[in-house]
Amino acid sequence: MKRASKSRMLLDEVYNETAPPIPHVVAWNITRRCNLECAHCYISAGPWQPTDNDLTVAECARITDEILAVNPNPMFILTGGEPLTRPDLEEIAAYAVKRGATVVVGTNGIGLTAARIGSLMEAGVKGVAISIDSLNARYHNRFRHGDEALEQALRSIGRLQEAGLDFIIQTTLTRFNRDEIADLVAWSAEQGAVSFNLYFLVETGRGSGMKGLPPEENDTVLRELVRLQKEYRGRMLVRSKCQPQLMRHVHELDPQSPLMSYSTRCPCGIQYCRITPDGKLTPCPYLPAEAGDLRKQSFAEIWNDSELFRQLRSGGLGGKCGDCEYRRVCGGCRARAYADSGGDVMAADESCSYEPSTDTPIVVIPQMTYGGAQAELELEWTPEAEARMARIPSFVRNVVMQRVEDFARREGHSRITPEVLDNVRKGMPVDFSKKLPFFLRKGKP
């Protein structure tokens, strides 16, 4: 039986503020212990941090099951502190993978020996995010408070290349590396990274002693990122983190950007959350307000009933964020609003220089069309194709399904079958890169 396009329905849910929130991505700080003491660390990690109150493997397994009862295909970002300081990291990861989660690891890279990379891959880890704040060793090592931190991270990237494990480069923007961003993006692409993520400082944890860039300079950097996205399209993703104002610039400067096909509004507490080492659930790593305690409550209970999450999902933004015509595609960073306002998660994000126009309609991301509304209603998914798509992590499934349907219509297919999915996998850059993402490689959907 023919039915409405699944990707269309899923995209409608993204922009429907009454749709049920889904925890697509869970950032999991599995320890505060770290071999470095980075200047900006939101969790104030270090070698001196105790580990006796960290969640046990058994507790992690129970919480994993509770999360998967809410969303069967989430992504877990296992990080810290430094997650490699936990010898049972692979055990935690393997259990989550076996149960249906996609698992990646966020690390400073220092402990990524060839043996450790092998054990992570054996556990089912699909990718690694490595922090590189500068290619200038003096700055990176001082910022990270570690002798030869850059040199060791670069050696680890070489080992990841040899092993064939996907990796992301993550950089925290400061006034010291501001002029290096374009070079870092170019270098990341040369190394074979699947993405370059630029983090804008949120003044929390040890980062509360630092200052981000002025709003006008943030805007300049965001415009540069839009240019770099266009330049490296087909090779590598270029994204901002904790600065959803990027979407205003994408809307204005690059309406053909792949980012226009999915929502990037600040997702904390709506599609994203964080688990602390001792089991507290917060909206995101940079927003320390606790929604609940997973040692005392189930994940579903906190996710569905927390007053903090309800507030974030209400849409009642304050100040100029609430007045802004871009509030549905940006909404400002809620963690920064909380930090700067002294505790109001719905306050305006003052890192943005834009002054909203009360005479302009609310901006929404335009949804793709394929020859009229009738075409949208005439695609049939076979059960086998639906089953394969269900194995794709939920955080990217909407985009992949939309791209599949685009391909099917262009090729004149009215039914989406496993054979159509195979053709898509061979010929279409569903992750906006010519390199197939891990979830579409041989043996995967």
Side-chain angles (χ1 to χ4, degrees):
M1 182 177 70
K2 294 180 180 180
R3 70 192 94 179
S5 156
K6 286 190 99 176
S7 68
R8 170 64 60 205
M9 291 187 291
L10 286 167
L11 281 168
D12 284 344
E13 287 183 3
V14 170
Y15 303 112
N16 179 358
E17 293 179 353
T18 65
I22 299 173
H24 292 299
V25 179
V26 178
W28 200 328
N29 299 122
I30 61 172
T31 184
R32 283 189 173 84
R33 178 68 58 85
C34 186
N35 46 359
L36 300 178
E37 292 184 81
C38 302
H40 66 306
C41 182
Y42 63 83
I43 202 171
S44 299
W48 44 269
Q49 284 282 11
T51 61
D52 54 340
N53 201 32
D54 289 351
L55 292 169
T56 66
V57 172
E59 288 176 313
C60 290
R62 172 184 58 78
I63 294 169
T64 293
D65 288 340
E66 291 176 358
I67 295 170
L68 269 63
V70 177
N71 176 14
N73 304 104
M75 170 175 274
F76 287 176
I77 304 171
L78 301 183
T79 184
E82 174 49 57
L84 296 176
T85 63
R86 281 195 67 152
D88 52 9
L89 167 63
E90 285 84 349
E91 190 175 354
I92 295 170
Y95 184 86
V97 170
K98 182 178 179 181
R99 298 291 290 170
T102 298
V103 176
V104 298
V105 170
T107 172
N108 57 42
I110 290 177
L112 273 177
T113 63
R116 200 71 194 266
I117 292 171
S119 64
L120 289 172
M121 295 178 71
E122 186 176 351
V125 170
K126 297 301 184 184
V128 173
I130 292 189
S131 298
I132 302 290
D133 296 298
S134 174
L135 296 175
N136 180 322
R138 181 180 178 185
Y139 172 71
H140 178 91
N141 295 346
R142 185 174 70 246
F143 188 68
R144 294 273 161 182
H145 290 196
D147 294 338
E148 296 194 347
L150 177 63
E151 295 85 343
Q152 294 182 65
L154 296 182
R155 287 194 287 270
S156 292
I157 289 172
R159 289 189 281 269
L160 289 168
Q161 293 167 338
E162 292 176 6
L165 183 59
D166 281 349
F167 64 92
I168 288 170
I169 300 299
Q170 308 203 122
T171 297
T172 296
L173 176 68
T174 71
R175 60 187 177 91
F176 297 104
N177 65 6
R178 160 67 187 88
D179 295 329
E180 196 182 352
I181 299 306
D183 290 339
L184 280 165
V185 171
W187 173 83
S188 299
E190 291 169 1
Q191 300 306 306
V194 298
S195 180
F196 174 86
N197 294 342
L198 184 64
Y199 280 78
F200 288 69
L201 180 71
V202 177
E203 297 169 16
T204 186
R206 271 201 297 271
S208 61
M210 300 177 64
K211 287 293 181 184
L213 299 185
E216 294 77 11
E217 194 163 359
N218 282 335
D219 262 16
T220 300
V221 174
L222 290 173
R223 287 192 293 271
E224 182 179 1
L225 287 182
V226 174
R227 177 185 65 77
L228 291 167
Q229 283 182 349
K230 295 172 72 173
E231 181 178 347
Y232 289 91
R233 192 165 300 156
R235 294 179 61 190
M236 181 183 71
L237 288 168
V238 178
R239 301 184 291 185
S240 72
K241 295 292 183 177
C242 305
Q243 199 75 15
Q245 291 87 348
L246 176 73
M247 289 307 296
R248 172 169 57 86
H249 296 283
V250 170
H251 182 268
E252 295 172 350
L253 302 175
D254 187 18
Q256 301 304 313
S257 169
L259 288 177
M260 296 296 281
S261 63
Y262 69 105
S263 171
T264 56
R265 175 181 169 174
C266 180
C268 72
I270 302 171
Q271 300 172 342
Y272 182 53
C273 60
R274 182 270 295 258
I275 300 172
T276 67
D278 57 350
K280 305 300 191 300
L281 193 64
T282 80
C284 88
Y286 301 93
L287 208 170
E290 296 174 7
D293 186 342
L294 289 165
R295 279 177 161 152
K296 300 177 181 177
Q297 303 162 274
S298 72
F299 179 87
E301 179 183 354
I302 302 172
W303 180 259
N304 293 325
D305 300 331
S306 161
E307 182 58 35
L308 176 59
F309 285 162
R310 288 181 185 274
Q311 187 178 10
L312 286 164
R313 297 163 189 169
S314 69
L317 299 174
K320 67 179 183 180
C321 285
D323 295 333
C324 185
E325 63 269 33
Y326 290 96
R327 61 184 178 271
R328 293 191 67 190
V329 297
C330 170
C333 172
R334 296 299 94 214
R336 187 176 294 105
Y338 179 88
D340 292 348
S341 69
D344 183 357
V345 295
M346 304 307 283
D349 178 355
E350 299 295 348
S351 71
C352 177
S353 67
Y354 183 72
E355 292 299 328
S357 171
T358 57
D359 298 328
T360 304
I362 295 175
V363 174
V364 296
I365 303 243
Q367 297 174 353
M368 297 181 183
T369 58
Y370 309 89
Q374 184 62 28
E376 288 291 329
L377 301 175
E378 294 186 351
L379 278 181
E380 178 185 358
W381 285 73
T382 66
E384 295 80 8
E386 288 184 344
R388 287 176 61 172
M389 294 302 289
R391 299 201 299 272
I392 292 177
S394 65
F395 77 104
V396 291
R397 192 181 305 133
N398 298 4
V399 178
V400 174
M401 294 180 78
Q402 186 179 32
R403 294 298 178 96
V404 167
E405 294 191 347
D406 186 16
F407 175 89
R409 290 189 176 91
R410 284 192 288 103
E411 298 298 318
H413 298 290
S414 61
R415 298 177 76 240
I416 295 178
T417 65
E419 291 72 27
V420 171
L421 295 182
D422 288 340
N423 288 333
V424 172
R425 184 176 64 190
K426 293 174 183 176
M428 191 176 68
V430 295
D431 69 334
F432 320 133
S433 163
K434 290 180 181 178
K435 181 179 180 181
L436 287 174
F438 59 80
F439 51 82
L440 287 183
R441 292 185 190 154
K442 185 176 180 181
K444 300 294 181 183

